[in-house]
Structures are given as structure tokens and as C-alpha cells.
Amino acid sequence: MTSQPNTGSDPAAQDMSPEEIQAVIDRILSKDVPAKTLSTPGATPRGDGKAVLGKAQAISRLDEEHTRYDGDQQDLEERRALRRTAGLSTELEDVTEVEYRQLRLERVVLAGLWSEGTLADAENSLRELAALAETAGSEVLDGLVQRRDKPDPGTFLGSGKALELKDIVLSTGADTVVVDAELAPSQRRGLEDIVKVKVIDRTALILDIFAQHAKSREGKAQVELAQLEYLLPRLRGWGESMSRQAGGQVGGAAAGMGSRGPGETKIELDRRRIRTRMAKLRREIAAMKPARETKRANRRRNEVPSVAIAGYTNAGKSSLLNRLTDAGVLVENALFATLDPTVRKAETADGLGYTLADTVGFVRSLPTQLVEAFRSTLEEVADSDLILHVVDVSHPDPEGQIAAVRKVFSEVDARKVPEIIVLNKADAADPFVVERLKQREPRHVVVSARTGEGIPELLQAISEAIPRPSVKLDLLIPYDRGDLVSKLHESDAEIISVDHDEAGTRAVVKVREGLAAELESFVTHD
């Protein structure tokens, strides 16, 4: 990872020792593979002249990815069946390889700006971009962080740094540049003209991951809508190959009659088709919404408490759902592994039923297109009675993750919902970081979905936080109405005492308002 501040950068960053610079580099990319020498013009000296390459630390490095609570994980086997691998040639040596070859990974170089915050914040953001690129199916070769007050309007990095990025691309043999920001169409074109390879931004990368992992009909429609919204202002025409309004003997090519026309119209036709497709997708998503609302209304009518599991991507939400309910939801050590919400029923230790809903993960600078497209899914969070905000305490910047998730909560009107901070992956975290977060977040539970540590305490916290029956009744139920006694045991009711005498079953219970109205005729006033 090559850190390249401008000459006018922060003096504190310029005065860093080679050991401190190397420590920053090691935080971005781990040393899973041997470092290789990379000569970059104008690179900041680091003492050994090497860039550290390897697997991004934003993806957990735990040896055991699954537990017995995760089930068979058949969906994961299907997803990995055609995984592209590094180092394999795409050149065919035998015709029989057509059906079995695997494609070479895209080779990418990362680029980001350090315009605000600390250097550690900029490095954490680039490390996360590396993890996103690996999840999308690419091989990260190198990265560049530039100290700059604001992005260049033409090329994002500025012409000088763009030329340095071009040298890095040439020396590493990369075929793609990924920028850690959302680029304007003009910035993307300007940077591509200089580096001469494909340039994509952070938003396009996240949308690509969502497109790979969406499984349900609603999820696929939501992702396609978000992609089209992103693509619409970024369409490109064919340039001079279609921008002609010929007349006479043009260029000596005898293209006179039959060649006159309005010039280039393909881009306008593409825009119209995209808008038509977007309108159709919005109608389809709106048609799917009533089914979700009906299920939610049934739970509300039956007064079933709902608990939403939300948090940063790869924080362990699906693993936690599997641990609590044996749901068998797909678990993968990757960002945005699961997109489709999963709802499962659970019970407290005293028999009170509630639902647990696993939701899509969040990330810093979550594209606004995704927030809008997935709004119907994110309503599970806003309409819940309790949010389990899962935080990966083994991550280098858990406080930044918490802030990013709460920002999305505000966008979907979920900030008023009671929240429990679940400090997950405690078995792999620094105890000092765990203690720091415990001091910052008064309502917390420390757990490990992998080992089961803290799960009983979490279940107890859920039991105390969800709405409980509040109407206390003294009942005398005749023996010929055993169905009501059975209903008290099956429904969300707290049975305080039960006794039997000649008149029938006497019970002291706490029930919800709906059931209280049904039992009104059996209330005693002794």
C-alpha cells in the first residue's frame, strides 16, 4: 500500500517514522503473502521500499467460519461452486477445457483521498474498499492514499497523481482502478483517459456485490433499480462513430443519399429504455410491498413483539440469528453475504413469543440508490419493537461502524426504536477495545456468535426489553372451556398462578389487550 501525501500535507503525517508508516500499511493489508517490491515515483519512504499485499483485514481471519448452528450451508456451496481463482490462465490448451475452466480474477489498484479526519480513518476506509473488491471477485494488487483538501473536479486525484497512478497500474499489470468515493461522470472519464484502464467507484463496486448476492425476486428487482438509477446519468454515446449528419459525398465514401439524419440518437433511446424499465421495477416492488406489510400487520394484530438484527456488514448478524434460532441462514466471511431478510420465531425463557428478523448489512457511505431501493426491506428495522445493533468489536474502527449504521437508522426513521448494542466476535477482539465500547454504550451485551459466549445474557436482555403483556386478570374458566386455558398457554400470556376448584380453573394471568377483551366475561371480581 503506497501512501502519497502532497507537499502541503499535515506536518504530523510527514514527521512519522518509517516504523509508524509501516504499522499503518500493515493495518490496511495483512501479510498473508510475501511482500513484493514496488517502485513508485514520488512514493513516501517507508524504510524497506516494499508494499505489503495480501488479504484485507476487514474480512475476518478466524479459522472456523461456521458452527453447528449454521446448518448445512448448501447455498454457500452453490455460491462458491464457480468461484474465480487467482493465477489460472484464461488461454485454452484443449477444447475440453471450455466447460471447466475458471476465469482469472480482475487485478485492481485502489485509490483514495485523505481530505478529513485522521490518517488512520483514511487507511481504514481503504482497507474496507480492499475487502469490498475481494468480495466482488478481484485481486487487490496495490493502493494509493493521497493527502488533498478536496477532490480535483477533472480527475478526482489531480493530473500529477493520476499519472503516478498510471505508473502503478503499468508496473503491477492491473486492469481496473477502484476509487474510494463516488465519482462524477466527468471525473471517471478524465481518470480513465489518463490511466488507460477501466475505472469504477465505490458505489459501482457495492452495487456489483449486491447484484451477485441477491437471490429473491424482490431483492433482484431492488438491486436492478439501484443499478439503473446509478447508470442513468453515466451513459456514454459512441462518439464520432454515430455523431454524423452526412450530406453529399462525405469523405469520398459515397455516403450521400440515405445517410442524412438527426445524428446520434442512441444515447437518448437508451435513456428512455432505462426510464421505462425503472418505472416497471418500481411498480413490481410496490406490488411486492403489500405481501410484506400483510405479514407485518398479522404480527401486529396478534401483538407479537418483533426484534430486528441490524448492523454493519460482516458484523455477524446471520451467525447470531442462527445461534439464537437455528435458522440455517447462509453465513460467509464476506461483505454483504446475505441481502434478503429472514424472519424466524423465538421464545423467551418464560414462553413469551417474538420474531427475529435478519436485515441487510450497512456500510460507510451506503449508496443512496440502495437505501431508496431497499426501503421496503429496511422498514423491518423501523417497525420493530427492539433493534439488536450488532457490532464487530474485532474491527479496527468499531466506533466508525456504529456511527455509519446509526446514520442509516436516521434515514429510515428508526432512531426512536429501543436499541441494544451487541458487541460480537468478543473471542477475537482486544479486551481494551471491548471495555472502551462498554463504557461508551451503556446498553450493551458482549457475545460471540461463534463460541456462544454471552448468548444467555443476550436472551435475557431481549426478554426484558420487548413489550410484555400488561393487563392483569383474575379468571374463572369453566371446565367445558378448556380451549381458553389452552389458548393462555399457547399465546403470549404470562401465567402467574393456576388453581382448580369445583367451579372451574382459576388463573391469575397477564395478557395483551386483544386477548383481555376476549376473556372479559370470565373475569372474577372477588
Side-chain angles (χ1 to χ4, degrees):
M1 187 62 61
T2 308
S3 179
Q4 300 189 359
N6 283 344
T7 55
S9 62
D10 192 346
Q14 290 184 336
D15 295 339
M16 293 175 66
S17 67
E19 291 77 12
E20 292 174 325
I21 295 174
Q22 186 63 42
V24 171
I25 295 169
D26 291 344
R27 286 201 305 270
I28 299 178
L29 295 177
S30 62
K31 296 183 177 180
D32 291 343
V33 299
K36 76 176 185 179
T37 303
L38 179 66
S39 58
T40 305
T44 303
R46 55 165 55 84
D48 58 3
K50 294 180 180 179
V52 178
L53 304 177
K55 187 175 182 180
Q57 288 181 346
I59 297 179
S60 173
R61 300 175 65 188
L62 293 174
D63 294 333
E64 299 179 13
E65 187 174 7
H66 300 106
T67 67
R68 63 183 180 87
Y69 296 93
D70 295 326
D72 296 334
Q73 293 291 310
Q74 294 178 353
D75 291 341
L76 183 59
E77 293 179 6
E78 179 184 349
R79 176 178 291 180
R80 291 179 173 175
L82 298 176
R83 177 72 72 187
R84 293 179 291 176
T85 57
L88 292 181
S89 172
T90 57
E91 297 297 325
L92 295 179
E93 297 180 1
D94 189 275
V95 70
T96 58
E97 295 182 15
V98 173
E99 296 295 331
Y100 303 105
R101 66 173 178 169
Q102 291 177 289
L103 297 180
R104 179 178 63 84
L105 294 171
E106 282 188 85
R107 299 161 60 85
V108 304
V109 171
L110 312 179
L113 289 186
W114 172 23
S115 57
E116 59 183 14
T118 64
L119 178 59
D121 293 336
E123 306 289 14
N124 282 333
S125 182
L126 205 65
R127 176 176 57 249
E128 183 176 87
L129 186 68
L132 288 167
E134 290 177 1
T135 301
S138 62
E139 181 184 5
V140 179
L141 302 177
D142 202 354
L144 177 148
V145 178
Q146 181 194 3
R147 177 62 166 160
R148 189 183 181 94
D149 292 335
K150 59 182 180 179
D152 181 76
T155 61
F156 184 75
L157 295 175
S159 57
K161 286 296 183 289
L163 289 173
E164 293 180 12
L165 179 61
K166 178 183 178 181
D167 293 337
I168 295 176
V169 169
L170 291 174
S171 63
T172 58
D175 49 33
T176 304
V177 170
V178 183
V179 178
D180 191 20
E182 183 168 344
L183 296 177
S186 59
Q187 289 175 323
R188 179 182 173 186
R189 286 195 298 269
L191 194 56
E192 279 187 347
D193 290 341
I194 295 176
V195 299
K196 304 300 182 183
V197 296
K198 179 175 67 175
V199 175
I200 65 171
D201 58 15
R202 181 187 179 93
T203 299
L205 181 60
I206 294 175
L207 289 172
D208 182 79
I209 297 172
F210 271 59
Q212 291 181 45
H213 293 176
K215 288 291 185 183
S216 68
R217 180 167 168 259
E218 183 177 11
K220 290 178 180 179
Q222 290 168 328
V223 172
E224 185 181 354
L225 176 61
Q227 287 180 311
L228 292 177
E229 287 180 344
Y230 172 80
L231 176 64
L232 185 60
R234 292 169 172 82
L235 282 180
R236 299 189 189 184
W238 281 91
E240 294 182 358
S241 62
M242 295 183 68
S243 297
R244 56 188 59 175
Q245 194 168 7
Q249 301 295 316
V250 178
M257 291 182 292
S259 63
R260 301 178 182 89
E264 180 177 321
T265 58
K266 182 179 185 301
I267 192 168
E268 284 80 8
L269 290 173
D270 287 345
R271 285 174 178 153
R272 179 165 57 82
R273 290 191 183 105
I274 287 177
R275 292 191 184 99
T276 302
R277 178 62 179 165
M278 288 170 61
K280 182 179 179 182
L281 287 171
R282 288 194 180 98
R283 290 195 299 269
E284 290 179 359
I285 294 173
M288 300 174 199
K289 187 176 180 180
R292 190 180 299 279
E293 289 182 339
T294 300
K295 295 176 183 177
R296 200 177 296 136
N298 287 335
R299 295 197 294 268
R300 281 199 296 263
R301 184 170 60 252
N302 296 325
E303 299 181 277
V304 179
S306 60
V307 179
I309 302 176
Y312 213 78
T313 179
N314 206 38
K317 299 182 297 299
S318 297
S319 297
L320 187 63
L321 178 67
N322 290 343
R323 172 68 72 164
L324 295 176
T325 65
D326 292 328
V329 175
L330 182 143
V331 172
E332 185 179 13
N333 187 18
L335 306 187
F336 299 113
T338 51
L339 302 181
D340 301 318
T342 302
V343 181
R344 292 291 184 269
K345 187 174 182 180
E347 281 190 357
T348 62
D350 55 357
L352 184 65
Y354 61 95
T355 59
L356 273 169
D358 182 20
T359 60
V360 63
F362 305 141
V363 73
R364 284 184 184 87
S365 305
L366 187 68
T368 55
Q369 298 96 334
L370 283 175
V371 175
E372 290 302 318
F374 278 78
R375 185 167 292 277
S376 62
T377 301
L378 296 175
E379 286 175 358
E380 291 285 353
V381 179
D383 290 344
S384 62
D385 298 302
L386 175 67
I387 296 175
L388 299 184
H389 182 169
V390 184
V391 181
D392 178 6
V393 286
S394 67
H395 190 272
D397 184 23
E399 288 92 350
Q401 290 192 348
I402 293 174
V405 171
R406 284 177 172 164
K407 181 180 178 181
V408 180
F409 285 170
S410 300
E411 293 178 12
V412 296
D413 301 324
R415 287 296 288 129
K416 295 182 179 179
V417 181
E419 175 188 27
I420 295 177
I421 296 291
V422 182
L423 304 177
N424 191 26
K425 304 185 184 180
D427 57 316
D430 184 342
F432 294 101
V433 176
V434 176
E435 189 61 33
R436 185 180 73 214
L437 288 170
K438 288 167 66 176
Q439 297 297 326
R440 287 174 55 94
E441 301 292 341
R443 198 175 187 186
H444 65 265
V445 181
V446 180
V447 305
S448 171
R450 187 172 68 94
T451 65
E453 172 191 350
I455 295 299
E457 290 80 2
L458 176 59
L459 291 171
Q460 181 62 30
I462 294 173
S463 177
E464 295 172 356
I466 59 177
R468 304 186 73 87
S470 57
V471 181
K472 186 175 181 180
L473 300 176
D474 292 331
L475 302 174
L476 175 59
I477 302 175
Y479 286 123
D480 61 351
R481 294 304 308 272
D483 59 308
L484 292 178
V485 178
S486 177
K487 192 169 186 177
L488 287 175
H489 286 280
E490 294 175 356
S491 62
D492 296 334
E494 292 186 40
I495 300 177
I496 301 173
S497 65
V498 176
D499 193 14
H500 303 280
D501 59 22
E502 296 178 355
T505 302
R506 294 186 178 275
V508 179
V509 298
K510 282 186 176 181
V511 297
R512 303 191 189 278
E513 294 181 357
L515 186 57
E518 185 178 346
L519 298 172
E520 181 65 33
S521 59
F522 301 99
V523 175
T524 63
H525 303 283
D526 299 342

